[in-house]
Amino acid sequence: MLSSIYLTGSSIDPGELSQAHKSDWRTLAITRLMNHGLKVTNPLEIPWTETEFNFDEAIDLAGSSDQRVRRALGLIDQSDAILANLERPSYGTAMEIFYAYRSGKHVTVFGSSPLNPWVATHSQARFNDIDLALRHIIGNQPRSAPVDWAIHYENQLSERYEQMPPYGEPDYKFFGGDLPILVIAPHATAYFREGEFQEQESFTGSMAVLLNRRTACHALTSNYCLVADPCVYADTPFKTAIKDLVKAGNIGLILMILGSGQQTPGLQIDHCGPTRDYDFEQRLRLKLGALEEIAPVKLAKSQEELDRETGPLSRFIAEELAVPLVTVKLSKRYRMPRLQSMLFSRATDLLAQFVLESSSYLNSRLY
């Protein structure tokens, strides 16, 4: 799993740079860190050239101020560490340092001495120049333990379990990747079905995002309370997002992660969609069989129950989008990383292996 570094701090006005060095510190950091195999999150789009630049026009990828703050916090949550430039202190940089440190992230700062006591208290590494700061990060490769990362991510998500999305924001969240596989968790938050409130299937979203971090697959999870269950209803933003992703990208397999209740303990696996010489269901069954004996979903519930719970979305993916779909249902015991960390880790490891092996097969068919 690649270390992910979030960059924060003001950019340098090119007018202040020497003629021999025309790059912003972010460009330098991105180049150095990525050359050493780290993933970099740069929350700013800075539209400038060597001859024309207006720092005030540097904009975040989101829209309004509230959206920018929420997006920044979300990006920090997904990162393992942050690198902060303190040459031009700002309220935003200070708040991001504070939030990251309190969230258990590794905070590295660089700037002129002496540093403010608040910065010194809320950072693990402090340097006078960017070169030393980058050497420190490259040498230490800070990573969050997968279980700790999942718990922290779920803590943040739990604040939105029963919250409707703010105006203008979707009720889902997409995490881009490089592999031709999309992992979805449509019940990561609470949702409504037939007018009845349904509780979230906890840690299914965290597991999907963790697979994105570990394998570079795509991931799509619910991010706020859903007014309509995307597994059942035809026109939902979540379902539309799946359609758009399949049409826009090279998606050769969709893995849906759901939770199961106490009445259906253990693991269940099902498959639908185009058949190929590579049996995705059987390979996942063999993979997860290391945990316990697995019964097909169809043996655990009647066809009527299956159609009511996930049938419409499954048929849409398999028939209209013509993409193979593998569904795995995890009982609560595999979704309790605080109490059953080994089971959570093992299940995630095996799913990651399945994703990587399936990706190798799909890529071999394309090239």
Side-chain angles (χ1 to χ4, degrees):
M1 181 167 61
L2 292 178
S3 293
S4 179
I5 313 299
Y6 178 92
L7 305 183
T8 182
S10 298
S11 294
I12 300 172
D13 189 327
E16 299 176 1
L17 298 173
S18 67
Q19 293 298 319
H21 186 65
K22 285 286 187 180
S23 64
D24 174 70
W25 75 272
R26 292 174 183 269
T27 303
L28 175 63
I30 291 171
T31 302
R32 289 271 298 276
L33 295 174
M34 292 185 68
N35 284 344
H36 284 82
L38 286 88
K39 181 179 178 182
V40 181
T41 300
N42 180 20
L44 295 181
E45 277 188 343
I46 308 177
W48 60 280
T49 65
E50 293 185 4
T51 58
E52 182 179 357
F53 174 79
N54 183 351
F55 179 76
D56 293 332
E57 293 178 357
I59 59 171
D60 192 275
L61 295 177
S64 68
S65 296
D66 287 344
Q67 288 177 322
R68 290 200 298 270
V69 171
R70 286 195 296 270
R71 183 174 183 277
L73 296 181
L75 291 173
I76 293 173
D77 289 338
Q78 298 168 38
S79 300
D80 298 298
I82 75 168
L83 172 63
N85 178 359
L86 300 181
E87 293 296 339
R88 291 183 174 181
S90 69
Y91 293 119
T93 300
M95 293 300 294
E96 289 181 333
I97 290 173
F98 181 80
Y99 178 81
Y101 185 85
R102 296 296 293 269
S103 298
K105 310 298 181 181
H106 185 89
V107 178
T108 301
V109 302
F110 68 93
S112 302
S113 298
L115 293 175
N116 185 285
W118 279 86
V119 173
T121 302
H122 292 85
S123 60
Q124 289 91 345
R126 297 160 289 279
F127 301 94
N128 290 326
D129 64 74
I130 187 173
D131 184 64
L132 293 175
L134 292 174
R135 289 185 186 182
H136 168 77
I137 293 175
I138 292 168
N140 287 274
Q141 296 274 325
R143 288 183 177 86
S144 300
V147 170
D148 294 339
W149 188 93
I151 291 173
H152 174 72
Y153 181 86
E154 195 73 20
N155 285 339
Q156 302 299 316
L157 183 62
S158 66
E159 298 178 2
R160 303 188 296 275
Y161 279 167
E162 302 176 13
Q163 177 185 343
M164 294 299 173
Y167 178 78
E169 283 196 36
D171 54 16
Y172 60 84
K173 191 166 187 177
F174 173 66
F175 302 83
D178 300 318
L179 304 187
I181 295 177
L182 172 64
V183 179
I184 62 175
H187 293 164
T189 54
Y191 57 97
F192 285 86
R193 180 192 295 157
E194 298 178 353
E196 296 293 329
F197 176 82
Q198 307 290 330
E199 290 190 352
Q200 69 284 343
E201 295 166 1
S202 58
F203 283 95
T204 56
S206 297
M207 188 172 287
V209 181
L210 200 54
L211 290 174
N212 163 262
R213 286 170 55 84
R214 297 188 60 175
T215 69
C217 66
H218 303 284
L220 181 71
T221 76
S222 62
N223 197 46
Y224 289 95
C225 182
L226 305 175
V227 296
D229 182 1
C231 290
V232 174
Y233 296 100
D235 297 319
T236 65
F238 193 95
K239 188 174 179 180
T240 300
I242 295 175
K243 179 180 179 180
D244 292 342
L245 289 170
V246 170
K247 288 189 173 182
N250 177 32
I251 303 297
L253 172 68
I254 294 179
L255 172 64
M256 179 158 61
I257 301 178
L258 298 172
S260 60
Q262 295 181 351
Q263 68 277 13
T264 52
L267 296 168
Q268 302 160 38
I269 297 174
D270 194 18
H271 171 269
C272 61
T275 57
R276 293 179 174 172
D277 53 347
Y278 192 93
D279 192 333
F280 293 110
E281 178 186 4
Q282 183 60 24
R283 289 177 181 271
L284 182 57
R285 188 177 300 280
L286 291 173
K287 189 70 68 176
L288 295 184
L291 297 173
E292 63 175 68
E293 185 177 354
I294 303 171
V297 175
K298 293 175 182 176
L299 295 181
K301 294 192 175 184
S302 68
Q303 189 61 46
E304 181 180 352
E305 290 176 308
L306 288 172
D307 286 341
R308 186 171 65 251
E309 291 185 1
T310 62
L313 179 60
S314 298
R315 287 194 296 272
F316 171 75
I317 293 173
E319 297 173 8
E320 293 192 35
L321 301 183
V323 176
L325 168 70
V326 178
T327 300
V328 57
K329 284 196 170 186
L330 302 162
S331 67
K332 190 71 173 179
R333 64 195 295 253
Y334 293 104
R335 298 182 287 111
M336 301 173 63
R338 296 182 183 89
L339 299 178
Q340 301 273 14
S341 60
M342 291 298 294
L343 285 177
F344 178 86
S345 295
R346 185 62 175 146
T348 304
D349 289 343
L350 293 172
L351 286 173
Q353 292 174 24
F354 168 75
V355 168
L356 291 172
E357 292 171 5
S358 299
S359 174
S360 296
Y361 162 76
L362 292 170
N363 286 329
S364 69
R365 288 175 57 90
L366 292 173
Y367 303 105

